Amino acid sequence: MASPTIGILTSDRGPGDPERASLMGEAGRLLARKGVEMVCLAEQGVVPVPLISAARTAGGTVTVLADASIVLPAALAAVPISVVPDRAERMAQLAKVDVLVGLPGSLASATALFGAWAAGQGVPVVMLNRHRAFEAMRGFAADVLAHSVSGHDRKVQFADSVDDLWNKISWLLAQRK
């Protein structure tokens, strides 16, 4: 079986959890060890450097899907980058992955996660709800998706730790077979 492709949306800028960079590193290392191919979104000057660096150091495969504003730092010069200037096209391309993953980040990364999920017409998504980062979305899933999206629990999952994140991703991948 081919390696699964995971789209990852996160940010280490803006107010929020000071552990975000550490969580990105931990998630990048774990996903690299599991052999997944990662597609990281980079927009509006925000590049998830800790995630990409950790994944590549652990031997992972990472591609950056970016808007025209992105210039990768010299340390990431060998990372493949695909620039898609149009946001709708970028979201549609990102939605071609097997699973979307939302790590704690900013409102911009949460908005991008929703945009990619909507563009993918329900591609499975797992959100790392560390320190209740996605609690509002968890409430939305329980209150709205449960009543309007058939089988929402097989499309939207919430993880409480990075290890649990992999458990949820694995379960969603098995559901797609």
Side-chain angles (χ1 to χ4, degrees):
M1 179 180 161
S3 297
T5 303
I6 307 293
I8 304 176
L9 299 102
T10 188
S11 168
D12 62 354
R13 291 198 187 162
D17 189 343
E19 293 178 286
R20 287 185 289 189
S22 174
L23 285 171
M24 280 188 233
E26 188 178 347
R29 284 185 295 278
L30 174 77
L31 294 173
R33 284 193 308 267
K34 298 298 182 181
V36 304
E37 295 180 19
M38 292 168 256
V39 178
C40 296
L41 184 69
E43 295 181 309
Q44 301 170 355
V46 177
V47 179
V49 173
L51 174 79
I52 297 167
S53 297
R56 289 181 45 82
T57 299
T61 303
V62 182
T63 302
V64 175
L65 180 60
D67 67 13
S69 75
I70 299 300
V71 176
L72 294 178
L76 300 179
V79 176
I81 183 169
S82 176
V83 176
V84 180
D86 181 72
R87 188 159 206 276
E89 288 178 34
R90 211 168 33 257
M91 292 299 110
Q93 188 169 334
L94 183 60
K96 292 178 182 176
V97 298
D98 296 307
V99 176
L100 290 168
V101 171
L103 298 178
S106 64
L107 183 55
S109 60
T111 302
L113 176 63
F114 181 77
W117 186 72
Q121 299 179 3
V123 63
V125 62
V126 180
M127 290 167 259
L128 179 57
N129 198 30
R130 175 88 169 168
H131 296 303
R132 302 170 54 98
F134 290 104
E135 200 63 24
M137 290 185 175
R138 181 178 263 180
F140 175 80
D143 294 343
V144 177
L145 291 181
H147 302 289
S148 60
V149 176
S150 177
H152 83 285
D153 58 327
R154 283 181 243 129
K155 296 176 183 167
V156 178
Q157 293 284 309
F158 296 89
D160 296 317
S161 68
V162 173
D163 289 329
D164 189 34
L165 182 72
W166 177 248
N167 293 335
K168 304 291 181 166
I169 291 169
S170 297
W171 185 81
L172 287 171
L173 290 169
Q175 299 299 308
R176 291 189 68 147
K177 291 181 182 176

